[in-house]
């Protein structure tokens, strides 16, 4: 068995900053409500003309540069998103074309907020078995174009933002570095507690005029229900990874949780009894960027020196599905 490591990371967020005060002009909400309930101060929304794969491409190029690799080195692409530019084909195919590497396999992963860790785990398995040496893993989301930005949709609309993050995962010869263990979970009994019902093939036709006038084309969340599960599953899946690796939580240099909500992150930190500086947070700047949130945070944490080569890092996510996942690694 070979070993896989994160060789480089990159991220991109659109330049268009949308503050809580900007949202106050669109709906009945307040900066105080949003900050207190979520910790979010601002998020980025893509401008017209910029799309999901545009952001993914920028993040991917940065990750390749950081890894000291060229697009031609990449043998496989894994693209995590719940907000693709098109129903089909997969975003990985579009990104592959943009990077100019025809023939390279491209897989889309649809695991919402856990998407990046699912994708990273798939990359890890492919590298471990020797099938590939260099894999590009991307998480990219445009949430802003799917939100109901009126008072009717305010409970969801204030939470999400747009952005992309990427990592190059490669075969690693150094036993002191690399992905140590990954853990993936789902429980489909909770599908409808956080979902977007329409449009979809369950309905005939997939999209109707009636849908456009209803709320079913917007994401729905049972907020309190999601919160309750998130604060249980996050610590559980982090502890699962630590237990599998025989590592004590105090050895961790940094936990990078999916940026769902500051109150969730605080609750997880409290349950794990970790100091504040051991748990990464950038939700105040970007909101919840779903599959992009972990690679954006990872890339930022590396760029700002919060973590460096051989740092012990635990990534953890929880989201729609429900899905939850963790990855323990030495950078
Ligand atoms: C969404 C969340 C912040 C809402 O907080 P909450 O304390 O549960 O708030 P409630 O839903 O009970 O709403 C409280 C009140 O605020 C109102 N409200 C909802 N959204 C609002 C907004 N954006 N601005 C102002 N008021 C709002 C509600 O209508 C409700 O009013 P009422 O008391 O008159 O009925 C919280 O449930 C949460 O964090 N859930 C998990 C979210 C998450 O992380 N999801 C992604 C997981 S990947």
């Amino acid at each position: 068995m070979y070993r896989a490591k994160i060789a480089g990371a990159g991220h991109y967020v659109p330049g268009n900053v949308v503050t809580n005060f900007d949202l106050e002009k669109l709906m009945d909400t307040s900066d105080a409500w949003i900050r207190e309930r979520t910790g979010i101060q601002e998020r980025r929304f893509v401008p017209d003309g910029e799309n999901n794969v545009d952001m993914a491409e920028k993040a991917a190029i940065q990750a390749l540069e950081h890894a000291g690799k060229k697009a031609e080195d990449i043998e496989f692409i894994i693209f995590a998103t719940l907000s693709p530019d098109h129903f089909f084909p997969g975003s990985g195919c579009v990104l592959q074309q943009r990077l100019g590497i025809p023939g390279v396999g491209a897989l889309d992963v649809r695991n919402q907020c856990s998407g990046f860790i699912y994708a990273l785990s798939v990359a890890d398995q492919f590298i471990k078995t020797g099938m590939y040496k260099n894999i590009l893993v991307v998480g990219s989301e445009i949430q802003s174009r799917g939100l109901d930005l009126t008072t009717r949709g305010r409970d969801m609309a204030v939470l999400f933002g747009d952005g992309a993050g990427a990592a190059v995962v490669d075969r690693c010869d150094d036993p002191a570095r690399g992905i140590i263990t990954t853990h993936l979970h789902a429980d489909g009994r909770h599908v409808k507690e956080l979902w977007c019902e329409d449009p979809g093939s369950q309905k005939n036709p997939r999209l109707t005029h009636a849908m456009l006038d209803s709320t079913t084309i917007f994401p729905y969340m049972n907020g309190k229900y999601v919160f309750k599960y998130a604060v249980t599953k996050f610590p559980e899946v982090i502890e699962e990874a630590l237990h599998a690796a025989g590592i004590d939580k105090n050895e961790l240099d940094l936990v990078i949780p999916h940026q769902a909500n500051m109150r969730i992150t605080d609750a997880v930190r409290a349950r794990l009894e970790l100091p504040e500086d051991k748990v990464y947070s950038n939700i105040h700047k970007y909101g919840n960027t779903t599959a992009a949130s972990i690679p954006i945070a990872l890339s930022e944490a590396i760029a700002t020196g919060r973590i460096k080569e051989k740092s012990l890092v635990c990534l953890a996510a929880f989201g729609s599905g429900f899905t939850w996942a963790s990855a323990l690694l030495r950078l």
Side-chain angles (χ1 to χ4, degrees), residues 44-66:
R44 307 296 177 99
F45 283 0
V46 279
D48 286 348
E50 188 168 25
N51 296 322
N52 185 315
V53 173
D54 297 325
M55 296 194 296
E57 184 185 0
K58 290 186 175 114
I61 288 170
Q62 204 184 90
L64 284 164
E65 281 170 7
H66 182 226

Side-chain angles (χ1 to χ4, degrees), residues 28-30 33 37-38 113 154-155 158-159 194 221 223-224 226-227 258 260-261 263-264 288 318-319:
D28 181 13
T29 190
S30 68
W33 192 98
R37 296 288 212 293
T38 72
C113 299
R154 65 182 179 175
D155 58 329
V158 301
L159 301 177
L194 176 52
M221 177 175 69
K224 285 194 165 58
V226 171
F227 190 93
H258 159 57
N261 181 315
R263 283 197 311 169
I264 292 178
N288 179 344
F318 176 86

Side-chain angles (χ1 to χ4, degrees), residues 19 46 161 290 331:
T19 66
V46 279
T290 319
L331 207 56

Side-chain angles (χ1 to χ4, degrees), residues 12 14 46 49-61 77 79-81 83-100 106 108 136 138-142 145 162-166:
Y12 171 81
V46 279
E50 188 168 25
N51 296 322
N52 185 315
V53 173
D54 297 325
M55 296 194 296
E57 184 185 0
K58 290 186 175 114
I61 288 170
I77 295 171
F79 196 124
T81 187
S83 52
D85 291 330
H86 310 282
F87 241 130
F88 71 91
S91 302
C93 296
V94 185
L95 180 62
Q96 182 239 52
Q97 180 268 328
R98 293 280 188 89
L99 295 174
D108 274 37
L136 176 65
V138 181
S140 183
E141 303 283 6
I142 295 185
R145 290 179 187 155
D162 305 337

Side-chain angles (χ1 to χ4, degrees), residues 141 143 160-163 258-259 286-294 296:
E141 303 283 6
Q143 291 286 6
F160 295 94
D162 305 337
H258 159 57
Q259 304 290 301
Y286 306 131
N288 179 344
T289 57
T290 319
S293 94
I294 288 179
I296 291 173

